[in-house]
Amino acid sequence: MLRLNMRTTNFALNMRTDPGKADPNMPEPTGKGEYIAPQNNQKVVPVEVKIDSTASRQTVGIYTQTAFSEKMAARGQQQLSEGIARRMREGRQVRNNGPLTNAIASISRSNMMPRQAELTIVSMPAPKITVTPSRIEGTIDPGVSKIVITPGKYTLQYSPAKVDISVDRYASIKMWTTGNYDIYA
C-alpha cells in the first residue's frame, strides 16, 4: 500500500530592532572662585582709670611697705643725729660746769622727763586720678569675593529607531509517497 507523506514548515520572519536613542545632555554650569570672608580685626581697649591715693593714705598714717621703710629710715637718721648732738652738748656741759654744779644730775633729770607730744593738723590732699579714655584699635579686612561662572552647553545626541525585517524561512509543503510511513514526515 502506498502512503502519502506530508511535511509543512511555517513562515518565519526575522526581526531586529534598534530602539534608537535621544540623549539630551546639558552639563551643569561650573563656577570657580575665591572667597575670603571679611574679618573685623578691631578690638576695643577699655577705659583705664588710675587712682593714686598714696598721699591721702600717708596723711592718715597708712603706708605701703616701701614708704614705711623710707619713713622709718629717715626718722632713724634724724634721731641718730639728734642723739649724737645731745650727747655732745651734755658732754660739754659736764666738762665745763661739772666740777662747779651738779650737771650730771640735772642732765639725768631732764632725760627722765616725759617728752611733749605734738598734734599737727594738716589738710588731706586729694587723690590723683588719671583717666585714659577707651579707644578702638585694628582694621577691618573687607575680604575677597571673585567668582567666574562657565555656563553649560546643551547638546542632543539623537539616533532614530531602526527595524530590520527579513524572512527567515518561507512556508512550504512537501508531499511524497512511500510504501510505509516515512519517519521524516
Side-chain angles (χ1 to χ4, degrees):
M1 168 176 285
L2 201 57
R3 306 242 196 288
L4 177 64
N5 293 309
M6 289 173 66
R7 185 168 45 179
T8 61
T9 56
N10 293 329
F11 179 76
L13 285 177
N14 188 11
M15 184 165 64
R16 250 184 299 163
T17 60
D18 184 5
K21 180 168 88 172
D23 186 12
N25 187 4
M26 181 172 176
E28 292 287 326
T30 58
K32 290 183 183 177
E34 176 184 6
Y35 177 74
I36 300 173
Q39 293 181 346
N40 183 0
N41 297 324
Q42 292 182 331
K43 64 177 181 176
V44 176
V45 178
V47 66
E48 185 177 345
V49 178
K50 291 183 181 177
I51 300 173
D52 184 13
S53 61
T54 306
S56 303
R57 285 186 284 118
Q58 287 180 357
T59 303
V60 177
I62 302 171
Y63 293 92
T64 62
Q65 198 73 354
T66 306
F68 185 73
S69 299
E70 289 172 356
K71 178 185 172 190
M72 288 295 122
R75 185 172 157 190
Q77 283 182 339
Q78 180 187 3
Q79 287 180 348
L80 177 65
S81 302
E82 288 175 1
I84 290 172
R86 183 177 56 87
R87 282 174 182 77
M88 296 273 295
R89 189 174 57 249
E90 290 171 356
R92 281 191 210 109
Q93 271 183 355
V94 170
R95 182 189 67 188
N96 295 339
N97 299 333
L100 303 173
T101 60
N102 195 1
I104 294 176
S106 65
I107 290 171
S108 292
R109 196 176 327 117
S110 67
N111 287 341
M112 291 174 74
M113 295 297 272
R115 298 193 188 265
Q116 291 184 357
E118 291 181 1
L119 178 63
T120 308
I121 299 174
V122 182
S123 65
M124 182 182 292
K128 295 177 185 175
I129 299 174
T130 307
V131 177
T132 306
S134 65
R135 63 189 182 283
I136 297 174
E137 294 180 347
T139 59
I140 294 177
D141 184 10
V144 176
S145 179
K146 296 178 187 175
I147 298 175
V148 177
I149 297 174
T150 307
K153 259 187 163 178
Y154 180 76
T155 57
L156 177 64
Q157 296 177 354
Y158 174 73
S159 57
K162 295 178 190 172
V163 177
D164 186 17
I165 299 174
S166 61
V167 176
D168 191 23
R169 122 180 122 234
Y170 292 99
S172 66
I173 296 176
K174 268 188 170 181
M175 291 193 272
W176 69 95
T177 57
T178 55
N180 292 328
Y181 287 112
D182 197 346
I183 58 172
Y184 293 108

